[in-house]
């Protein structure tokens, strides 16, 4: 049994769903999931389909799909083989909560991907990588060595054919070169106090202001800091009884869950990006 996922977006017009489903049926496919969305303001149609086939030539299916439908509807589209596991590189610094959570989920089989290595600008978290038997590369970053460090990172990423990157609290600004090479393929996580409480101690600032809600945001990174397409967010209520430690603990719990959810959405091909926004098919 061969299972594929199709992502499609194009100008909204009559007949898209009927044409695509007929095409799949004509190729002896069985649709097991289908969902669509129309952005009325932009007049853009989005669709995600999962289909199963007793046998399928991906090359022939892709060629026929392009010939029959892509040109007709002027589609932007992607096709994925469900059996293929994307390769995910993890970048970290010193915070360990997101890394532990990701590796725990990976070890239990929850994440349908491969993790060829972990990169860090510090050595602190190498024992965690060693415990999970994942290669760890220490690549220090400073103002004078940033270009050389990112050249080493790119070399590793390309050598291992990495599909996407997760910044699991990587406390460095990623360069334009890396962002362009992995456009909408670098996932970041941060607290949702931004832009109100910037700096190294946002929880301390939030406590002084008496915040009642804290949260976390996971998004694809762009050249504009913390302004990329949002994949997942969550919030939790807090009260005046919370200490700094309580706020940080609650915030880190949210960060772990939100980042893991964003990773799963990306791995399962449930995210479509358009004009710095995302369409998430649940």
């Amino acid at each position: 049994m061969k299972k594929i996922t199709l992502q499609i977006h194009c100008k909204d017009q009559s007949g898209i769903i009927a044409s695509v489903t007929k095409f799949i049926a004509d190729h002896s496919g069985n649709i097991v999931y289908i969902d669509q969305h129309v952005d009325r303001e932009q007049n853009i149609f989005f669709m995600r389909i999962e289909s199963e086939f007793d046998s399928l030539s991906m090359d022939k299916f892709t060629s026929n799909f392009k010939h029959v439908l892509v040109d007709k509807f002027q589609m932007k589209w992607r096709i994925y083989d469900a059996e293929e596991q994307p390769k995910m590189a993890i970048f970290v610094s010193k915070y360990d909560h997101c890394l532990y959570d990701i590796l725990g989920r990976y070890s239990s089989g929850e994440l349908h991907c491969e993790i060829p290595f972990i990169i860090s600008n510090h050595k602190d978290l190498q024992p965690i990588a060693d415990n999970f038997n994942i290669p760890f590369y220490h690549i220090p970053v400073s103002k004078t060595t940033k270009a050389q460090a990112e050249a080493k990172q790119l070399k590793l990423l390309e050598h291992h054919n990495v599909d996407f990157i997760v910044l699991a609290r990587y406390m460095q600004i990623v360069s334009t070169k890396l962002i362009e090479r992995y456009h909408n393929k670098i996932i970041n996580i941060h607290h949702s106090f931004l832009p109100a409480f910037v700096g190294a101690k946002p929880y301390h600032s939030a406590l002084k202001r008496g915040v009642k809600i804290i949260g976390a945001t996971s998004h694809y990174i762009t050249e504009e800091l913390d302004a990329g397409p949002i994949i997942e967010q969550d919030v939790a209520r807090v009260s005046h009884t919370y200490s700094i430690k309580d706020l940080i603990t609650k915030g880190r719990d949210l960060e772990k869950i939100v980042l893991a959810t964003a990773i799963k959405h990306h791995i399962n091909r449930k995210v479509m990006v358009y004009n710095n926004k995302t369409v998430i098919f649940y």
Side-chain angles (χ1 to χ4, degrees), residues 69-178:
L69 295 178
V70 172
D71 294 336
K72 177 181 177 181
F73 292 104
Q74 294 297 296
M75 292 177 174
K76 302 291 184 181
W77 68 296
R78 291 179 179 175
I79 184 171
Y80 302 99
D81 185 338
E83 294 180 2
E84 293 183 0
Q85 294 187 333
K87 293 183 178 180
M88 173 179 75
I90 303 175
F91 284 32
V92 294
S93 289
K94 291 186 176 182
Y95 293 113
D96 61 7
H97 56 291
C98 287
L99 181 62
Y100 265 122
D101 186 73
I102 292 169
L103 296 184
R105 294 173 190 271
Y106 175 72
S107 180
S108 68
E110 185 177 333
L111 301 179
H112 184 68
C113 67
E114 297 179 29
I115 303 178
F117 59 82
I118 297 166
I119 286 177
S120 181
N121 55 324
H122 299 282
K123 293 182 179 180
D124 301 57
L125 304 187
Q126 181 163 358
I128 300 175
D130 294 342
N131 286 340
F132 285 89
N133 297 314
I134 295 177
F136 181 93
Y137 294 95
H138 174 226
I139 303 179
V141 180
S142 67
K143 290 182 179 179
T144 57
T145 65
K146 189 174 181 65
Q148 297 93 318
E150 291 189 336
K152 292 179 182 178
Q153 293 170 352
L154 272 170
K155 186 176 181 180
L156 278 170
L157 293 165
E158 292 170 357
H159 176 74
H160 289 274
N161 296 313
V162 166
D163 295 291
F164 72 106
I165 301 165
V166 172
L167 308 182
R169 295 306 307 272
Y170 181 63
M171 310 306 287
Q172 293 287 326
I173 295 176
V174 178
S175 73
T176 300
K177 186 175 182 180
L178 200 62

Side-chain angles (χ1 to χ4, degrees), residues 200-242:
K201 294 185 176 182
Y203 289 98
H204 292 72
S205 300
L207 183 70
K208 290 179 180 179
R209 285 287 303 276
V211 299
K212 299 298 183 283
I213 294 176
I214 65 172
T217 295
S218 185
H219 62 93
Y220 294 116
I221 69 167
T222 57
E223 291 183 41
E224 187 177 354
L225 187 64
D226 295 325
I230 294 170
I231 309 169
E232 179 69 7
Q233 291 180 298
D234 200 2
V235 296
R237 296 200 66 85
V238 297
S239 76
H240 61 277
T241 64
Y242 277 60

